[in-house]
Amino acid sequence: MDLNEKINKLGEIIENSDNIVFFGGAGVSTESGIPDFRSADGIYNQKTKNVLSPEEIVSHTYFMNHTEEFYSFYRENFIFENAEPNKCHIGLKKLEDEGKLKAIITQNIDGLHQKAGSENVLELHGNVYRNYCTQCGKSYNIKVIIDREGIPRCECGGIIKPDVVLYEEPLNGEIMNSSISYIANCETLIIGGTSLVVNPASSLIQFFNGKNLILINKSETPYDYMAQLVINHSIGEIFSKVLNI
């Protein structure tokens, strides 16, 4: 099938589906100007000022032992407060409003799905807009990270940590279980903007038992052979055409 035929096929599947789940990765947000992690220009391929890799810098160990350096890197590379939802985010909100989309499962931490108005968003890796004191647990918004220099501290003196999953930290078990449940019970699973190579998130696909598996990503994934429909294209452009937005 050519691209137009695939777009028409996707439209038919969505039209005839009333239990859709969307699972998205960094490619969903790149069209909003947020860099991804593993592409040639991604965050994890940047040369940092020291010999450490970005993966090491955003690890639990580095956060605990080099907190000020962690925050210097984090503020520059992970906070994009002015980013706006793109056609993918808007399209998913439309499907949710129509009652077709039951859940969004995302690896992204930028909060753009919520900014677009989506309500049932399962964030596997957390959210930069949520922060908490590691000592007393008090919650803080993103301003405390942006507006303060060095290490942001709570009024109790404790260090404030972003509510994001760092390397060496486990994913939230409750969110993982909910994600598995939604995927296992949906009719149509649309996976977009992810190469499906990062575990444990990529393992979620194995729980799908439904009718339609759709993969939308600019490059191939290891699971293309399992899908009823594979579209190697910009997910925002595809949603724009399929959903007339």
Side-chain angles (χ1 to χ4, degrees), residues 77-91:
N77 293 284
F78 286 85
I79 297 176
F80 297 88
E81 197 179 16
N82 295 323
E84 293 295 332
N86 58 54
K87 297 292 186 180
C88 178
H89 301 102
I90 295 168

Side-chain angles (χ1 to χ4, degrees), residues 44-64:
Y44 289 173
N45 284 314
Q46 293 180 11
K47 291 184 178 179
T48 55
K49 294 179 181 179
N50 53 39
V51 296
L52 296 178
S53 68
E55 289 97 332
E56 291 173 292
I57 295 174
V58 289
S59 68
H60 178 81
T61 297
Y62 197 81
F63 173 80
M64 297 298 295

Side-chain angles (χ1 to χ4, degrees), residues 22 28 89 92 104 106 108 110-118 121:
F22 180 82
V28 172
H89 301 102
L92 291 170
I104 295 171
T106 180
N108 298 330
D110 49 50
L112 287 178
H113 288 296
Q114 291 91 331
K115 204 169 185 178
S118 292
V121 183

Side-chain angles (χ1 to χ4, degrees), residues 212-230:
N212 307 300
L213 175 61
I214 300 160
L215 299 180
I216 307 172
N217 195 49
K218 288 184 177 179
S219 59
E220 296 179 355
T221 81
Y223 298 96
D224 286 3
Y225 72 96
M226 294 174 54
Q228 280 67 50
L229 184 62
V230 176

Side-chain angles (χ1 to χ4, degrees), residues 41-182:
D41 298 321
I43 291 171
Y44 289 173
N45 284 314
Q46 293 180 11
K47 291 184 178 179
T48 55
K49 294 179 181 179
N50 53 39
V51 296
L52 296 178
S53 68
E55 289 97 332
E56 291 173 292
I57 295 174
V58 289
S59 68
H60 178 81
T61 297
Y62 197 81
F63 173 80
M64 297 298 295
N65 296 333
H66 306 278
T67 311
E68 187 167 357
E69 292 87 347
F70 167 89
Y71 266 113
S72 178
F73 184 83
Y74 177 82
R75 289 186 179 100
E76 183 177 351
N77 293 284
F78 286 85
I79 297 176
F80 297 88
E81 197 179 16
N82 295 323
E84 293 295 332
N86 58 54
K87 297 292 186 180
C88 178
H89 301 102
I90 295 168
L92 291 170
K93 167 61 174 170
K94 180 178 180 180
L95 292 177
E96 186 181 71
D97 289 344
E98 293 173 356
K100 290 180 170 291
L101 183 70
K102 305 306 180 184
I104 295 171
I105 302 164
T106 180
Q107 295 171 278
N108 298 330
I109 59 175
D110 49 50
L112 287 178
H113 288 296
Q114 291 91 331
K115 204 169 185 178
S118 292
E119 296 182 5
N120 194 18
V121 183
L122 302 174
E123 296 171 312
L124 297 174
H125 296 153
N127 189 312
V128 297
Y129 287 91
R130 297 191 303 266
N131 305 273
Y132 65 92
C133 173
T134 56
Q135 186 164 300
C136 73
K138 182 178 179 179
S139 296
Y140 286 89
N141 63 29
I142 199 170
K143 293 295 185 183
V144 73
I145 306 298
I146 296 173
D147 294 345
R148 298 185 190 178
E149 296 181 357
I151 302 172
R153 291 189 177 273
C154 176
E155 55 192 26
C156 78
I159 295 172
I160 297 172
K161 180 184 181 295
D163 188 11
V164 300
V165 179
L166 304 178
Y167 282 95
E168 305 169 345
E169 296 179 343
L171 300 188
N172 181 290
E174 184 176 340
I175 292 175
M176 276 293 287
N177 288 336
S178 293
S179 300
I180 290 169
S181 179
Y182 275 111

